[in-house]
Structure formats: C-alpha cells, structure tokens
Amino acid sequence: MIGLISATAAGAAARDRLAAAWPDRTRVYEGPVGDAVRTAFAQCEQLVCFLATGAVVRLVAPLLSGKTEDPGVVCVDEGGRFAVSLLGGHAGGANELAREVGDLLGAEPVVTTATDAVDLAGLDTLGLPVEGDVAGVSRALLDGEAVALRAEVAWPLPPLPVTDEGPYTIRLTDRLVKAAEREAVLRPPTLVVGVGASKGAPVEEVLGLVGDALREAGLSVASVAELATVDAKAEEAGIVEAARRLGVPLVTYSAEDLAGVDVPNPSDAPLAAVGTPSVAEAAALVGGGELLVPKRKSAASPAMATCAVVRRPGRGRLAVVGLGPGARDLLTPRAKAELRRASVLVGLDQYVDQIRDLLRPGTRTLESGLGAEEERARTAVEEARKGQAVALIGSGDAGVYAMASPALAEASDDIDVVGVPGVTAALAAGAILGAPLGHDHVSISLSDLHTPWEVIERRVRAAAEADIVVTFYNPRSRGRDWQLPKALGILAEHRTPRTPVGVVRNASRPDESSRLTTLGALDPAAVDMMTVVTVGNTATRDIAGRMVTPRGYRWQAAQGGAE
C-alpha cells in the first residue's frame, strides 16, 4: 500500500489525483502531518509526501530502522514540478515510484542513486537475494574497476560491466558459501524442494527437515524457488505453512503426473496413500534437473515428512519486443523495461539504431540487414539457450508480420519466452485517418515472398465478399507493382468507387504523410513499402475529412446513408 500525505490545498489536489488513479494501491492519511507520516511509515510499503524534502527528512529520521526494512519515500514539491526519490530507492522501490508519479502528475522524477544515475543495474535491483560486500562491489562497478563474474549456475542477468578476472567479484551461486572480501553473492532461485508429509505433520518438522537437507548438501535456502508436492497434500497445513515461512510458492501435481516421473527411490507407501510411488522426489523432478538430495525422512519418530532437492537448469529468457511504428512516445513502458533488462539485443540494424540510446551500458548487440529474419530468430534463441537475457526486436507488434512467429518456431520449452506487444502500423495509421477499424477488419500482406499469390488472392476475395475493412501491408515495391492494383480490383467487384481509402506513409515518424481518397481515385503508383493502405467496407464514410467505419450497420441506416 502507498500512503499519501499532504499539508496544503495544492498538495491535496495532487494527492487526490494519485488516489483516483490508483484506488487499489493508495491510502490517504489525513490529520496532523507528523502523525500522518508516522502512521503511514509504520503501515505502508511506500509513501508519497506532498511536502518539502527537508520536512520529510526531519519527520522520518527517528523512524528509520534499516535499508531493507524502511518503506520507499517519494517527495513531490508544492508546484508539482519534481518527484524526488528520497528513501529506499532500490529496496523500497522509491526510484520506480518516483518515475510512476512523475508520469502521472507531469513531474520530473529525481533519482540520485548512483547506479541509476549512470544507468547501471544495481545488484540489489536484480530480483535476487544478494549478500556480502554489495556496496563495495557496486562502487567498483561505478568506478570502472575490474569486477569478475563467477557464475556457478546459469541465470539471465541484465548487462553488467564485468570481466573474467578482477579484485572484486560477483558470485552467482546456490551453494551455501560465505561471501569473501570484496565479493557480492547473488542467489538465483534454482532449487526445488519436493515434500511429502503424513496427515497432521507439524510445520516445525517439515521446516527442520528441509533446513537440514539443504545445509548438509551445502545449499542455500535463499535459492529455493518453490516447494512441490502432490495435489492431495495441497492443503496440508504443515506444508502450506512451511512454504509461507520460506516465502516461496507451493506447487502441486496430480498423482498421475508424479507416477510418470522416473525416480531412484520409489515406495509402496505413497502409492497406497496417494496413488504415486514417489511424492518428494517426483515432485522435485517434474520439471527436470539434477537430483542433489535424494529422498530423506525427518528425524522424528515416527517420521512424518520426507523431502528431496533438485537443481533445475538455469533457463535463458527471450523477450520478443514490439517497438511500435517508430515514434518514441508509442514505444510502451514494458518494451523499454525489456530493452533495459536484456544483456543481448538481436534485431534489424535500422531498428537497433532506433533504440540504441535506451540500452544499458554493456548490452551486446547482434544486428543484421533486411532479409535475415530467420537468421535473427535462430540467433536470439541460441543466445537464450546459453542462459542469457535476450531481447529480439521488431517494428509495430512483434507478432504481426514480424519476429515473433519465426522465433517461436525455433524455440522449444527449454527457455522462457515473453511477448511484449506494440502498436501496429495498422493501428497507428487508423488513428491518423480517424476510425476506419471501428468494425470487423483484417490485415493482409501483399508480399508474395513467403506466401503464394494464389493464397493471398483467395484471402483478399474472402474479405471483399465478407464486406470487411482491409488494411494492406507491404502493398507495393519496385519489384512487385501489380499486386496492389489486382487486390483493389477484387475489392472493387464488391464496393463502389466512392468507398473511402486511407493511405498513410511512415505513420508516426517525422516524415509522416496521409491522405483520404476513394477506391476509384487511388493511384497505386503513389504507394510504396513504407505505406499502409486501408480500404473501407460498404458502411465506411468520409465524415469531416476523417475515415469512419461505424460499429454497426444500424448506425448507417439511422444516418440515412449520408456520404
């Protein structure tokens, strides 16, 4: 919850804007400011104070307890010009909150955290538990000193300026090791603990067993990703509470699924009780991996719990990112976040140039020219299989005539794939033209490089007969100058020459141009590969110079068929 505190009318107005925008995330604290800050500080994960920073410093100073315990605090000035990340920039999420508040209120976010100031991923922002000399290693990264990365397990990290050797070290491990001098230890969630338990097994017995198993195997509890068990034990109190105390999810599987897992130590007891010869080992091994701790029983007599520990292989991450039609303000915040997260960027050279300034220092770029789509898809998947965090970029939406389909055709289930939607050329053009896509619509590419013309023609004819608005991608090039006239001719068999047609070139880019014409007047020679052509249906109208397709045909009848 985000606590909101203000002292003046102007502050209250800005406060209320946040409260209205985030009704489920915020709580307004009224009354004397000092009391409000103290109460919110104790009750909330974050605070936004519409007060002077000096006043907030004096109020929160006696309340501070530690970097990882204190809430994030953001201050917004009386004029609403700045959103200052004052406390808990990383651990408390104040840096990101300042950016969010700034976006909503039109204020400039002020972030002074050293790593953020130079666009370096902070070790405490990677979403992994971190131990050791975090401040010293971070300072070395900032100062450009040599910092070595010792990755004992694979994990998709963001770009970091690391080397093979150096006086400082970042160690990526799930082993139970103590950080050495000048070393920061990152704990990736690579361990899965399978658990079985008799009815009524105490939580202390389950936790004690898990703790002993990890400690004796030299494994860190901070790297436990989940507890896993059979469906029949999904509500077993000892297991549920153990997962809660460990701060990890409890994942359950059907007895049928577990029975199909090959395990080294099957038993008749669980087979009779829940329908599978193994619970702990099978539940831990469902997703594959290396069995580090075979099934073991708790020390109690009689033993009421069993566990097994598996290290799952680190999975690379492939984000397929749509960059939108070109304008920077049409690039989504999620796309920007994925670009900053990626340690490897794969894309068409001109698209890489388009967003190069958004990449963190150290991001490796793999770029190629037109016509190498399948090669880029293979490269991106191969890099992800090496355990990297990869972003594969495409224009518009990456799933629409772009890189998502070839990439997913190459990818198997050994990597994580994330799709990041983008604003398509059809949507950008539609917004420029008016509302041509207000009813059913279809996009058709006229390029026959990947699709036989016979198939394209059949699709155009079907859209024409169904009276669907059509947006043509790749309408005409120097080597393909007959396809657009042919497609328009097919549509003309079912629509009048007065049917509105929108032509948009380089939508949202500096040299954008657009015009509204008709099916009978459109000159195909004025169209090229940078153009999107949208042909209306029989209900589409030119209204005040805007292309409008009504949401229903009754609307057309009510207007008396007005042009």
Side-chain angles (χ1 to χ4, degrees), residues 205 298 520:
E205 183 173 343
S298 57

Side-chain angles (χ1 to χ4, degrees), residues 204-489:
E204 290 77 11
E205 183 173 343
V206 176
L207 283 174
L209 171 62
V210 171
D212 290 345
L214 292 169
R215 184 172 55 257
E216 293 173 20
L219 300 170
S220 172
V221 68
S223 283
V224 175
E226 62 189 46
L227 294 193
T229 191
V230 66
D231 283 348
K233 297 296 179 179
E235 297 184 8
E236 183 64 47
I239 297 178
V240 172
E241 178 62 14
R244 189 193 69 80
R245 292 191 192 180
L246 290 169
V248 299
L250 176 62
V251 180
T252 65
Y253 301 96
S254 69
E256 182 181 5
D257 287 340
L258 297 186
V261 178
D262 186 25
V263 298
N265 300 293
S267 172
D268 292 335
L271 179 61
V274 294
T276 173
S278 172
V279 173
E281 286 181 341
L285 284 166
V286 165
E290 177 187 3
L291 184 62
L292 301 179
V293 179
K295 181 182 72 174
R296 59 180 287 173
K297 296 181 180 180
S298 57
S301 182
M304 299 185 72
T306 60
C307 82
V309 183
V310 164
R311 175 188 289 137
R312 287 187 181 169
R315 294 169 63 87
R317 188 175 190 276
L318 173 61
V320 188
V321 181
L323 300 180
R328 178 58 60 86
D329 59 354
L330 292 183
L331 178 66
T332 67
R334 188 179 301 179
K336 292 179 183 178
E338 288 295 346
L339 295 176
R340 292 169 56 78
R341 178 173 181 166
S343 59
V344 179
L345 182 84
V346 182
L348 180 68
D349 48 13
Q350 64 189 51
Y351 296 154
V352 174
D353 288 340
Q354 182 180 320
I355 48 84
R356 197 183 298 273
D357 63 302
L358 297 177
L359 305 178
R360 289 189 186 274
T363 304
R364 184 159 54 98
T365 58
L366 303 175
E367 42 195 299
S368 52
L370 287 168
E373 288 82 4
E374 293 181 357
E375 175 190 339
R376 286 195 290 276
R378 284 193 295 270
T379 297
V381 172
E382 289 169 2
E383 290 293 328
R385 285 185 175 137
K386 296 175 184 176
Q388 301 286 342
V390 182
L392 174 64
I393 58 174
S395 65
D397 183 283
V400 180
Y401 302 124
M403 294 304 303
S405 54
L408 269 60
E410 292 285 339
S412 52
D413 62 358
D414 57 344
I415 62 173
D416 294 325
V417 178
V418 177
V420 182
V423 178
T424 67
L427 295 178
I432 293 166
L433 294 169
L437 309 182
H439 206 294
D440 297 334
H441 55 274
V442 63
S443 295
I444 299 177
S445 171
L446 294 184
S447 172
D448 55 3
L449 294 177
H450 300 287
T451 306
W453 174 253
E454 293 76 14
V455 175
I456 297 173
E457 182 175 342
R458 189 163 63 247
R459 292 171 179 173
V460 174
R461 194 170 298 281
E465 293 174 352
D467 197 28
I468 295 176
V469 175
V470 181
T471 297
F472 288 123
Y473 280 69
N474 306 313
R476 185 177 181 274
S477 67
R478 291 180 181 179
R480 295 186 301 100
D481 59 1
W482 58 269
Q483 285 92 339
L484 179 58
K486 177 68 173 177
L488 295 174

Side-chain angles (χ1 to χ4, degrees), residues 110-158:
V110 179
V111 176
T112 59
T113 311
T115 49
D116 292 82
V118 298
D119 207 17
L120 180 69
L123 297 181
D124 54 353
T125 67
L126 304 182
L128 304 178
V130 58
E131 308 164 7
D133 188 11
V134 179
V137 174
S138 297
R139 187 165 52 249
L141 290 170
L142 289 166
D143 291 344
E145 297 189 51
V147 178
L149 175 64
R150 292 177 55 191
E152 298 175 10
V153 292
W155 198 258
L157 295 175

